[in-house]
Amino acid sequence: MGRRAGSAQQEGIFSDMVAATGSTEREGWSSRSAFILAAIGAAVGLGNVWRFPTLAGENGGGAFVLFYVACVFLLGLPLVISEIFLGRTGQDDAVGSIRKVAERSGASKNWSAFGVMGVVAAFLIVSFYSVVAGWVLYYVGVMGADFASAVLSGDPLRGALVGQSQEAIQGRMGDLFGNPGLLLAMHFAFMGVTLFIVARGIGSGIETAATILMPMFFVLLVGITIYGAFVGNMGDAVAFLFTPDWSKLDPPAMNTALGQALFSLSLGVAGLITYGSYIKGPAGLGPTSVTIAFADTGVALLAGLMIFPIVFAVGLDPAAGPTLVFQTLPFAFQTMPAGALIGLLFFLLILVAAVTSSISLLEVPTAWGIGEMGWSRLTSSLVFGGGAFLVGIACLLGYNVWSEVRPLGFWSLFAEKDILDTVDDFTGKIMLPLGAFFTAVFVGWRADRKLVQEMTGLSGFWLSTWRFLIAWLCPLAVGTILITGLFPQVLGS
Ligand code: PHE
């Protein structure tokens, strides 16, 4: 409350207010750029540096990438504006914010139900997100130990994991998955860091973390991309990522691209509603949202330009799937100059990106506990961080002791899925599109138009374009992802 310690009169008013409402003033970002940095930190995560290159590789590159970019700007961007609008206007946790906008618009309070779904989705996502980030942490350890031994042997610029066969390097992941204790330790450490930051609050926790980690992330990203351009095969990577072969863009690939755009921009789980609710001043939501969407997409593309030149340089398979980053790349670093060092920096970069996203995920239920249940921040973050930790344990046991378990095995869509994949797919294919769909319908059709205009700061051409996209294109397109995701037979696949 340091900033408020101004005049006695002001303090008097403040304590009256506290007495009247029974609560102290809600936390907030220190500036607009702090919000933008934190929101970019939320958006840029495993989705950009792990999932996007994986999906681009699996879906044939070019056409998928261009379609993805179209999804980001035609569907994602209007939704980013809408979510921040809800939070900025409501000044409350996600559920409370939607309720307040509904009240001010004369709409039913029941709309806040989609906020509840977002809170649940964020909680579920952070539980498995922390497990995957735990794998990254493990590789930071492996590469860190390798680099340390390179330094000690007097050859700090040697390749990574020298003397180890490709099988041995790729086998590490299987070893990790077969070791529940190790998986648990990594998950515990990552969730612990996430919880620690969220428990410290918006200013000294989340904002501070973003201010330190995001610049670090960008330096690493640009640095490793430049490295890849020199030692790798940039020409093939650019051709792969940007030459469209439209025949590869079948409906399932379009579906995947749309879902990935939502996930990467952190949409549909009330993340931006929650972060937006800590904006105090005027928001200018158009430019703010454009910045976030550009940064997120730029990072995904740069991550592709960082990873594929290295993959192609050693003739590896770009379509390796989810293990691309964990199994393919460490081997590629073996023959590259300074591979030990770059390999370590590469996994550190992914870890940094994961932290700034997982804190935004945990903040969603934490804010809900504070706003709706009246808990303190510490209690709320412990309840949800602890709860997500437990759900995450089930996910990681699904790789070893519970490897036979198929939680939604009765449902054909999830019949083959282990625990982590079930939670991932259930949130990604169902809850997230559903959240985005209701956000679009609510903001596009039910929210008071004057309020929307005033709070978004949009006008003229941009306002009408945004209105068209949010009221028509988003519900239609996102509704289509949802239906085709739920009933793949519709696509005949
Ligand atoms: N956008 C994050 C990523 O790309 C994931 C995320 C989803 C974060 C939803 C917050 C909310 O990794």
Side-chain angles (χ1 to χ4, degrees):
M1 289 299 120
R3 275 179 298 133
R4 300 208 124 259
S7 71
Q9 190 192 2
Q10 219 183 7
E11 281 211 317
I13 293 169
F14 180 58
S15 41
D16 286 353
M17 198 175 87
V18 171
T21 60
S23 66
T24 49
E25 195 197 13
R26 231 173 146 256
E27 303 165 271
W29 308 110
S30 67
S31 65
R32 195 171 92 117
S33 45
F35 163 72
I36 293 181
L37 207 58
I40 293 176
V44 170
L46 295 173
N48 305 61
V49 288
W50 170 57
R51 230 168 139 174
F52 177 78
T54 300
L55 295 177
E58 283 178 338
N59 290 284
F64 176 87
V65 172
L66 294 178
F67 185 75
Y68 170 79
V69 173
C71 291
V72 166
F73 288 99
L74 294 176
L75 305 169
L77 180 56
L79 282 161
V80 170
I81 297 178
S82 306
E83 281 207 15
I84 304 177
F85 154 76
L86 289 173
R88 169 70 192 87
T89 309
Q91 295 286 300
D92 204 342
D93 69 277
V95 176
S97 287
I98 299 169
R99 195 171 49 229
K100 286 186 180 145
V101 173
E103 274 164 8
R104 289 173 71 174
S105 306
S108 158
K109 277 194 234 168
N110 294 337
W111 280 101
S112 63
F114 79 81
V116 176
M117 191 180 62
V119 172
V120 175
F123 171 79
L124 289 174
I125 293 177
V126 76
S127 70
F128 76 80
Y129 204 85
S130 168
V131 173
V132 178
W135 310 343
V136 180
L137 186 58
Y138 169 75
Y139 275 88
V140 168
V142 170
M143 302 307 266
D146 181 58
F147 178 62
S149 79
V151 172
L152 291 176
S153 69
D155 187 7
L157 297 184
R158 71 158 164 76
L161 310 168
V162 285
Q164 299 186 24
S165 66
Q166 184 166 3
E167 292 69 39
I169 293 176
Q170 300 199 332
R172 262 181 198 282
M173 204 169 187
D175 296 347
L176 172 67
F177 282 10
N179 187 338
L182 189 56
L183 285 171
L184 183 67
M186 299 296 133
H187 170 47
F188 179 79
F190 187 84
M191 190 64 92
V193 170
T194 303
L195 205 156
F196 175 76
I197 298 173
V198 171
R200 287 179 62 96
I202 298 304
S204 39
I206 296 179
E207 184 174 320
T208 307
T211 319
I212 297 170
L213 296 176
M214 288 319 286
M216 203 166 123
F217 172 82
F218 280 104
V219 170
L220 286 170
L221 179 69
V222 172
I224 301 177
T225 309
I226 293 174
Y227 164 89
F230 278 107
V231 306
N233 190 338
M234 188 57 99
D236 281 3
V238 171
F240 177 72
L241 282 172
F242 299 109
T243 313
D245 171 358
W246 297 108
S247 69
K248 291 202 172 135
L249 191 67
D250 53 7
M254 291 162 110
N255 216 326
T256 306
L258 276 157
Q260 169 64 11
L262 295 181
F263 182 83
S264 189
L265 290 167
S266 305
L267 291 166
V269 304
L272 287 170
I273 305 182
T274 307
Y275 269 23
S277 75
Y278 299 114
I279 302 176
K280 299 291 173 195
L285 295 190
T288 300
S289 305
V290 168
T291 311
I292 297 168
F294 261 97
D296 186 62
T297 311
V299 169
L301 296 177
L302 260 185
L305 291 176
M306 168 176 76
I307 289 170
F308 288 114
I310 299 174
V311 171
F312 287 129
V314 277
L316 293 169
D317 179 13
T323 58
L324 176 78
V325 161
F326 296 107
Q327 294 189 323
T328 306
L329 277 183
F331 176 66
F333 286 126
Q334 190 172 59
T335 46
M336 312 225 123
L341 171 64
I342 302 292
L344 170 61
L345 295 178
F346 174 77
F347 284 103
L348 270 176
L349 163 142
I350 304 185
L351 190 64
V352 164
V355 171
T356 53
S357 295
S358 68
I359 54 183
S360 75
L361 284 161
L362 183 56
E363 177 59 22
V364 175
T366 300
W368 179 85
I370 299 171
E372 305 294 310
M373 309 299 290
W375 295 339
S376 72
R377 172 167 285 277
L378 184 64
T379 306
S380 195
S381 53
L382 278 172
V383 166
F384 292 110
F389 175 66
L390 294 180
V391 178
I393 294 180
C395 292
L396 68 86
L397 290 179
Y399 287 106
N400 32 72
V401 270
W402 287 345
S403 61
E404 305 298 313
V405 175
R406 301 285 173 271
L408 298 179
F410 54 86
W411 187 341
S412 63
L413 202 57
F414 301 97
E416 307 290 314
K417 306 279 179 184
D418 58 33
I419 303 176
L420 190 145
D421 281 355
T422 302
V423 182
D424 184 358
D425 269 22
F426 187 81
T427 48
K429 288 197 171 151
I430 299 177
M431 300 184 86
L432 219 120
L434 214 53
F437 177 82
F438 283 114
T439 306
V441 173
F442 178 64
V443 176
W445 294 95
R446 294 302 287 124
D448 182 75
R449 290 193 157 216
K450 276 230 191 67
L451 185 65
V452 168
Q453 191 171 353
E454 179 196 331
M455 298 306 286
T456 57
L458 293 175
S459 59
F461 170 76
W462 293 112
L463 181 65
S464 354
T465 307
W466 172 74
R467 277 234 160 91
F468 169 74
L469 294 173
I470 202 69
W472 293 100
L473 194 67
C474 286
L476 279 173
V478 175
T480 310
I481 320 182
L482 195 65
I483 305 287
T484 51
L486 280 182
F487 308 101
Q489 339 41 303
V490 175
L491 301 173
S493 57

